[in-house]
């Protein structure tokens, strides 16, 4: 039996933290108190104009390769989850392959599932590995969401940040990923979207992120609880036997509500939203890398990752390090 296990992780945050007070100083009609009370966010990182998604992804990937003790050309599958690709095409994964100096003909493609993108990518990579077609996947969540924010919309611009997280998933004789589940319901697309497009050399429609925050909040709490229970049942694992939960880092109140519903103490929940903001597809691999590097998640620990985002999409995976 072939399984897929995590061999290394890495992450990257561009520039210095930008605090809530820094946003106020930049003229945004908000306050540290409002942002902290409603979201738990205290700061985020914003990429300078010269950096694109594949640059963030490259640094996170190099750190993951180093942690796994392998070379870039040992990778035979690259999946980048992003909603802020470098360009319409080629894929950010193909550009990342080039920046990493991978010349072995590895498969490379992007996944577009917004904030659930990393969970989608991880699950897809696992299926490639378990089929025997590929041996070592680089799965990255990388975003420059600051580029699609309307900085005059205080209801959204204070919530997001930029960053990248990367995971090496490799074939193994012992289980790493225990179970996973992916879902989507496109009928909810208007509550979180960037509706614009490019045609005939013009931007058609609205190029900025638009969100009905309260509708997203309610939807997220419901499906994150449901999908966590689904993967636990599929894996035959009791919630008490899970060492860590790593939810998508959108809002600490969503994270707390989900933990409460599952009966998981917040001591077992990895949170980085206070320092990273919502980095969409990058949020889970960033939090995972932080918790592995600071020694909280250790070999043998079981952890559950779960994401929800535009589409609507949602998913979860139960893993063992
Ligand atoms: O990856 C998934 C992405 N998104 C999410 O997870 C977001 C989920 N939703 C949320 O986190 C919350 O709905 C928000 C944090 C976005 C908003 O919190 P809320 O409690 O739903 O606030 P609201 O939108 O109902 O706005 C309440 C008030 C309004 O003022 P009035 O009409 O009551 O006078 C807003 O204008 O807060 C005002 N407001 C702000 N005030 C200061 C909205 N944004 C801000 C702001 N600073 N940044």
């Amino acid at each position: 039996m072939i399984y897929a296990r995590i061999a290394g992780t890495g992450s990257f945050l561009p520039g210095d933290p930008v605090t809530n007070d820094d946003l106020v100083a930049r003229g945004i009609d908000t306050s540290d108190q409002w942002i902290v009370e409603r979201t738990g966010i205290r700061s985020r990182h914003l990429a300078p104009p010269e950096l694109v998604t594949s640059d963030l992804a490259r640094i996170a990937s190099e750190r993951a390769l180093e942690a796994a003790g392998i070379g870039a050309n040992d990778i035979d599958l690259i999946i980048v989850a992003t909603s802020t690709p470098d360009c319409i095409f080629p894929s950010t994964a193909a550009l990342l392959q080039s920046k990493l100096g991978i010349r072995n003909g590895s498969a490379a493609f992007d996944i577009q599932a917004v904030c659930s993108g990393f969970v989608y990518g991880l699950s897809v990579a696992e299926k490639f590995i378990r089929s025997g077609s590929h041996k070592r996947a680089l799965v990255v969540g990388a975003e420059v969401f600051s580029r699609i924010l309307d900085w005059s919309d205080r209801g959204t611009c204070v919530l997001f940040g930029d960053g990248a997280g990367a995971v090496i998933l490799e074939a193994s004789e012992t289980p790493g990923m225990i179970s996973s589940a992916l879902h989507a319901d496109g009928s909810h697309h208007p509550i979180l979207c960037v509706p614009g497009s490019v045609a005939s050399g013009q931007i058609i429609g609205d190029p900025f992120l638009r969100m009905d925050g309260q509708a997203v909040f309610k939807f997220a709490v419901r499906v994150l609880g449901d999908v966590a229970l689904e993967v636990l049942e599929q894996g035959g694992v009791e919630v008490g036997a899970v060492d860590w939960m790593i939810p998508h880092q959108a809002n600490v109140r969503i994270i707390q509500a989900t933990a409460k519903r599952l009966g998981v103490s917040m001591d077992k929940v990895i949170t980085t939203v206070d320092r990273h903001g919502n980095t969409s597809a990058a949020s889970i691999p960033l939090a995972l890398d932080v918790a592995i590097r600071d020694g909280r998640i250790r070999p043998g620990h079981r952890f559950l990752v779960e994401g929800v985002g535009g589409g609507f999409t949602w998913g979860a995976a139960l893993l063992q390090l």
Side-chain angles (χ1 to χ4, degrees):
M1 187 79 153
I2 308 171
Y3 298 100
R5 61 173 282 273
I6 290 179
T9 62
S11 61
F12 176 68
L13 291 160
D16 294 327
V18 176
T19 65
N20 296 337
D21 284 335
D22 291 334
L23 295 184
V24 174
R26 291 178 188 192
I28 295 165
D29 179 18
T30 188
S31 68
D32 178 61
Q33 188 188 355
W34 190 95
I35 300 171
V36 172
E37 279 178 8
R38 304 280 173 138
T39 71
I41 299 168
R42 293 179 185 277
S43 62
R44 72 288 291 145
H45 292 251
L46 303 176
E50 65 275 14
L51 289 185
V52 289
T53 296
S54 62
D55 295 319
L56 276 52
R58 177 185 63 77
I59 300 170
S61 300
E62 285 172 350
R63 291 175 178 171
L65 290 165
E66 195 186 345
I70 59 170
N73 278 283
D74 295 325
I75 296 295
D76 57 9
L77 172 65
I78 303 171
I79 299 178
V80 175
T82 188
S83 300
T84 48
D86 292 9
C87 51
I88 291 177
F89 74 79
S91 69
T92 304
L95 298 170
L96 174 63
Q97 183 201 48
S98 167
K99 287 184 180 179
L100 287 171
I102 299 178
R103 301 283 182 271
N104 61 6
S106 65
F109 57 88
D110 287 0
I111 281 189
Q112 214 311 14
V114 200
C115 303
S116 316
F118 179 76
V119 178
Y120 266 68
L122 205 59
S123 180
V124 169
E126 189 236 10
K127 286 165 180 41
F128 271 69
I129 289 171
R130 289 189 73 154
S131 77
S133 68
H134 292 75
K135 289 197 164 42
R136 276 207 190 97
L138 169 63
V139 184
V140 184
E143 303 281 13
V144 285
F145 252 54
S146 58
R147 311 265 161 90
I148 54 168
L149 298 175
D150 175 354
W151 288 94
S152 67
D153 175 10
R154 67 178 182 170
T156 55
C157 71
V158 303
L159 305 175
F160 295 90
D162 302 335
V167 157
I168 310 292
L169 201 67
E170 68 177 15
S172 161
E173 288 175 1
T174 51
M177 196 184 292
I178 300 162
S179 56
S180 67
L182 302 177
H183 297 286
D185 182 347
S187 69
H188 296 282
H189 67 90
I191 64 172
L192 178 54
C193 56
V194 179
S197 61
V198 174
S200 309
Q202 312 255 334
I203 296 170
I204 310 295
D206 184 349
F208 295 119
L209 182 149
R210 300 298 173 198
M211 179 174 72
D212 175 345
Q214 291 189 0
V216 170
F217 194 105
K218 286 183 201 138
F219 192 94
V221 171
R222 179 169 62 80
V223 299
L224 287 175
D226 288 349
V227 78
L229 293 172
E230 183 183 351
V231 293
L232 288 169
E233 190 183 335
Q234 202 191 105
V237 173
E238 294 290 327
V239 70
V242 175
D243 297 291
W244 299 102
M245 257 183 62
I246 310 175
H248 169 48
Q249 308 285 316
N251 181 320
V252 80
R253 292 190 296 137
I254 295 177
I255 296 173
Q256 287 163 342
T258 308
K260 191 172 170 197
R261 182 174 160 204
L262 295 169
V264 173
S265 148
M266 281 301 287
D267 299 347
K268 290 175 133 194
V269 181
I270 308 295
T271 53
T272 50
V273 67
D274 55 330
R275 289 165 283 155
H276 299 174
N278 181 347
T279 57
S280 191
S283 92
I284 293 172
L286 263 163
L288 175 63
D289 186 50
V290 165
I292 288 179
R293 284 177 192 262
D294 71 19
R296 274 178 292 173
I297 302 183
R298 296 193 297 276
H301 279 186
R302 283 195 189 127
F303 60 96
L304 193 148
V305 295
E306 54 172 356
V308 58
F312 247 74
T313 58
W314 64 103
L318 183 62
L319 298 108
Q320 181 160 339
L321 196 61

